[in-house]
């Protein structure tokens, strides 16, 4: 059996200690509680503080849990609540559109697929939950980049790779695409990420009106598009689905 990494075990024990009992603890309290040398405890605390998992009160010098842990915890809860709320609506969308439906969230400079409903036919398909899609070329990614300031910052910092001749990689042109996405309330990808594949996506908002994800219908260009343009009824269906999930999450005016 592989051995556990001692430094990570100590860091985890430190976080659990700070999570219970007193709200703030001093270095000596932490070191003695975990039977650690002060120098060792200080080194772990300094690393956790650098990563945002621990904060130090300037006046007292005592330590407490940091905001990054709260953000990670909320992210976990939000993703699972988002998926739970979207299950029925995405099933209905796949059934009515006849195409695959994806639910995606921002993750590590890309879009993480957290739910995938197969196209309702007998074709062989691969479950893509856990797959990543690019922010700059996929419909899901464009929607997140247009409506989520964090996603927008991240897409500007990453390389906008050209996957096909239709991929928009120039910054000025890309910003124009995002402006259009915001104005019309949905994003598109017509052979910008994969040849022969088109997609339309719309944003999902929570009760704070914050963008928490996006829903997309994806399929072969010849089915999803007519005369090179996305079918209007698919656009309407995706937007309706996103609004329904948003309402279930507590958002108003969607």
């Amino acid at each position: 059996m592989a051995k556990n990494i001692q430094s990570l075990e100590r860091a985890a024990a430190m976080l659990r200690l700070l999570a219970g009992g007193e709200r703030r603890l001093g270095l000596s309290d932490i070191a003695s509680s975990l039977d650690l040398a002060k120098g060792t405890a200080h080194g772990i605390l300094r690393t956790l503080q650098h990563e945002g998992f621990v904060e130090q009160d300037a006046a007292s010098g005592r330590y407490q849990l940091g905001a990054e842990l709260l953000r990670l915890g909320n992210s976990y809860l939000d993703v699972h609540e988002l998926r739970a709320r979207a299950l029925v609506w995405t099933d209905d969308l796949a059934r009515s559109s006849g195409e695959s439906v994806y639910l995606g969230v921002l993750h590590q400079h890309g879009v993480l697929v957290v739910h995938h409903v197969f196209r309702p036919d007998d074709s062989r398909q691969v479950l893509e939950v856990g797959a990543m899609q690019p922010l700059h070329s996929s419909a899901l990614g464009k929607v997140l980049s247009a409506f989520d300031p964090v996603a927008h910052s991240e897409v500007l910092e990453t390389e906008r790779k050209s996957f096909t001749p239709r991929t928009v990689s120039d910054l000025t042109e890309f910003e124009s695409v995002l402006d259009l996405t915001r104005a019309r309330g949905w994003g598109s990808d017509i052979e910008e990420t994969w040849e022969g594949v088109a997609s339309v996506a719309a944003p999902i908002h929570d009760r704070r009106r914050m963008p928490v994800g996006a829903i997309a219908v994806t399929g072969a260009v010849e089915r999803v598009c007519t005369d090179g343009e996305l079918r209007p009824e698919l656009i309407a269906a995706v937007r309706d689905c996103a609004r329904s999930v948003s309402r279930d999450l507590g958002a108003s005016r969607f």
Side-chain angles (χ1 to χ4, degrees):
M1 181 182 294
K3 293 183 178 179
N4 292 339
I5 299 175
Q6 188 181 55
S7 59
L8 292 180
E9 287 183 327
R10 288 173 171 175
M14 201 169 285
L15 292 174
R16 292 191 185 98
L17 179 65
L18 291 171
E22 295 184 35
R23 186 164 178 263
R24 293 173 179 169
L25 293 173
L27 174 60
S28 297
D29 298 324
I30 295 171
S32 61
S33 295
L34 300 178
D35 196 23
L36 296 174
K38 278 190 177 181
T40 301
H42 185 256
I44 296 172
L45 284 167
R46 188 171 61 247
T47 301
L48 291 172
Q49 185 178 2
H50 177 74
E51 296 298 327
F53 297 137
V54 164
E55 295 174 356
Q56 185 178 29
D57 180 65
S60 66
R62 290 175 172 265
Y63 294 90
Q64 64 183 28
L65 294 180
E68 181 64 11
L69 277 177
L70 177 62
R71 188 191 70 81
L72 290 177
N74 284 340
S75 175
Y76 175 83
L77 292 174
D78 286 347
V79 167
H80 284 264
E81 182 183 5
L82 174 62
R83 185 178 181 277
R85 299 287 186 178
L87 287 176
V88 173
W89 299 111
T90 50
D91 282 349
D92 288 345
L93 180 58
R95 189 161 43 248
S96 64
S97 67
E99 300 294 344
S100 299
V101 175
Y102 295 87
L103 176 66
V105 298
L106 177 66
H107 181 68
Q108 295 182 349
H109 295 82
V111 182
L112 174 67
V113 176
V114 296
H115 185 53
H116 172 201
V117 185
F118 283 166
R119 184 172 65 254
D121 59 20
D122 295 328
S123 63
R124 184 175 181 180
Q125 300 172 62
V126 177
L127 186 66
E128 294 189 41
V129 172
M132 295 290 292
Q133 294 187 9
L135 280 173
H136 70 287
S137 61
S138 68
L140 289 171
K142 290 179 191 177
V143 164
L144 292 174
S145 299
F147 291 94
D148 184 344
V150 176
H152 184 246
S153 297
E154 290 189 2
V155 75
L156 298 184
E157 295 171 358
T158 56
E159 177 189 5
R160 290 176 296 280
K161 180 180 177 181
S162 293
F163 299 105
T164 76
R166 299 188 60 155
T167 305
V168 176
S169 55
D170 175 75
L171 180 56
T172 301
E173 189 178 353
F174 180 69
E175 288 286 15
S176 296
V177 170
L178 296 187
D179 287 341
L180 178 61
T181 300
R182 295 185 195 100
R184 62 190 184 183
W186 53 274
S188 65
D189 167 11
I190 302 177
E191 296 190 283
E192 294 181 52
T193 308
W194 302 280
E195 296 276 5
V197 177
S199 182
V200 56
I204 299 170
H205 296 80
D206 65 8
R207 61 186 62 87
R208 300 162 297 174
R209 295 183 59 81
M210 295 295 292
V212 293
I215 285 177
V217 160
T218 301
V221 172
E222 59 269 22
R223 295 194 308 267
V224 176
C225 297
T226 301
D227 296 327
E229 299 291 335
L230 288 161
R231 289 164 45 201
E233 64 270 24
L234 281 183
I235 297 172
V238 171
R239 298 190 70 188
D240 285 344
C241 180
R243 290 191 193 100
S244 296
V245 178
S246 296
R247 282 193 295 268
D248 278 2
L249 289 171
S252 59
R253 290 182 292 171
F254 281 97

